[in-house]
Amino acid sequence: MNKSEILNPKSEIKSSGILFIVSAPSGAGKTTLCRKAVDYFSDLRHSISYTTRPPRQGEKDDVDYHFINKKAFQKKIDIGEFIEWAEVHGNRYGTSFNDIKSLLEKGLDIILDIDVQGARQIKLQIANCKLQIPWVFIFIFPPSLDATKERIKKRGKDTRETILSRLKNARAEIKEAVWYDYLIINDKLEDAFEKLKSIIVAERSKREKMIEQVKRLYGKVLGK
Ligand code: ADP
Ligand code: 5GP
């Protein structure tokens, strides 16, 4: 099926929340950073993706991912349930349109940890005005390609074959970083997290996000 046929959300999102889209090569520390951000900001949520990948040791269904089989995933594609989906390292991953919609409409911000293909699909929908929500694209780099290898190995949850395939993809993924809005090098975890926090705070402080609150406080002064 042509991807553009899938990327056709059925209903509009009336959002007051921001969509933070985070991508990185495997092992860069994206999951770690996104989790820290969700723990830190009470009004930031992680959208739980659907995947056909089997759970890693310690991963929980409906917490880390919604783990589903290939047939169930295909059905979700067919009914247009995904705002984006992609095949990554031999497994499929997708984000539910309705999950995103309901979180954003509650005024919550969302952090989406998705691969570069999925991020590109969202960017395309924004460019085509199919998706009208505040968005920010963030790319996380490992300090070096060798570091990713060590981190994936240290994580200790992937087979040798999986590690090799993830490392092979890393170069192609890094090439996509040029069109992201913010770039973070995750060398020291705490420094990288400070940067991620600063980006979130800065985006939340933009005029278009703040103006209603300011008008409530200073409506008379502003003459509104
Ligand atoms: P990703 O989600 O990008 O594949 P993870 O967040 O799972 O990566 O991180 C991979 C491994 O690297 C984990 O064991 C994690 O604890 C570790 N890690 C993450 N950031 C750093 C860092 N800045 N320095 C050292 N190890 C890190
Ligand atoms: P992992 O198997 O290590 O959890 O994730 C592998 C890759 O899939 C990562 O790059 C991760 O960001 C990406 N991924 C996770 N969920 C989604 C999703 O819903 N859509 C897309 N396109 N990629 C995802």
Side-chain angles (χ1 to χ4, degrees):
M1 189 188 297
N2 183 334
K3 285 243 168 93
S4 64
E5 289 167 38
I6 304 158
L7 305 178
N8 196 4
K10 298 168 281 301
S11 51
E12 252 183 56
I13 301 178
K14 291 179 190 63
S15 165
S16 51
I18 308 172
L19 191 56
F20 293 95
I21 299 125
V22 180
S23 305
S26 190
K30 161 176 45 66
T31 309
T32 309
L33 284 165
C34 290
R35 280 204 187 129
K36 279 173 85 67
V38 169
D39 288 345
Y40 185 84
F41 294 101
S42 59
D43 42 5
L44 179 71
R45 296 283 186 280
H46 175 240
S47 160
I48 303 170
S49 298
Y50 288 82
T51 185
T52 60
R53 167 167 81 61
R56 289 189 189 119
Q57 194 193 344
E59 281 183 334
K60 291 197 183 84
D61 192 21
D62 300 333
V63 175
D64 296 289
Y65 282 104
H66 301 295
F67 294 99
I68 59 174
N69 63 31
K70 287 181 186 162
K71 200 171 161 198
F73 196 98
Q74 184 60 47
K75 196 167 173 203
K76 288 186 183 294
I77 295 175
D78 293 343
I79 60 174
E81 191 168 324
F82 294 130
I83 191 168
E84 63 74 35
W85 70 270
E87 188 151 330
V88 194
H89 317 304
N91 296 300
R92 285 180 169 188
Y93 299 79
T95 308
S96 155
F97 177 77
N98 285 331
D99 287 357
I100 298 289
K101 181 177 156 77
S102 68
L103 290 172
L104 287 172
E105 288 186 350
K106 280 184 198 147
L108 294 164
D109 292 342
I110 300 182
I111 196 153
L112 262 192
D113 159 357
I114 62 175
D115 90 308
V116 292
Q117 304 169 74
R120 219 177 231 292
Q121 290 171 41
I122 293 191
K123 183 101 177 170
L124 195 71
Q125 292 175 70
I126 291 164
N128 294 337
C129 300
K130 284 191 177 170
L131 205 55
Q132 289 174 340
I133 41 178
W135 44 268
V136 184
F137 289 88
I138 304 168
F139 196 94
I140 297 174
F141 291 86
S144 68
L145 286 173
D146 284 345
T148 41
K149 192 172 169 185
E150 287 315 308
R151 286 182 188 173
I152 302 174
K153 274 193 191 165
K154 205 180 111 207
R155 186 166 64 195
K157 292 178 182 169
D158 299 286
T159 61
R160 197 180 119 79
E161 209 178 35
T162 310
I163 294 175
L164 288 176
S165 129
R166 284 171 182 249
L167 290 173
K168 214 170 121 196
N169 279 346
R171 286 170 197 275
E173 286 164 338
I174 284 173
K175 281 189 186 149
E176 293 285 319
V178 289
W179 58 263
Y180 281 68
D181 302 307
Y182 292 96
L183 309 177
I184 299 177
I185 298 172
N186 179 20
D187 190 352
K188 289 206 177 83
L189 183 61
E190 284 314 315
D191 291 352
F193 183 51
E194 278 306 313
K195 289 188 178 141
L196 181 58
K197 270 188 335 198
S198 308
I199 293 166
I200 294 171
V201 172
E203 289 293 327
R204 287 178 169 184
S205 309
K206 278 190 164 167
R207 184 184 53 232
E208 53 272 28
K209 291 296 297 174
M210 289 301 297
I211 194 67
E212 289 310 318
Q213 196 179 335
V214 167
K215 275 185 192 165
R216 280 196 294 278
L217 291 172
Y218 294 103
K220 279 189 188 151
V221 179
L222 292 166
K224 306 270 174 195

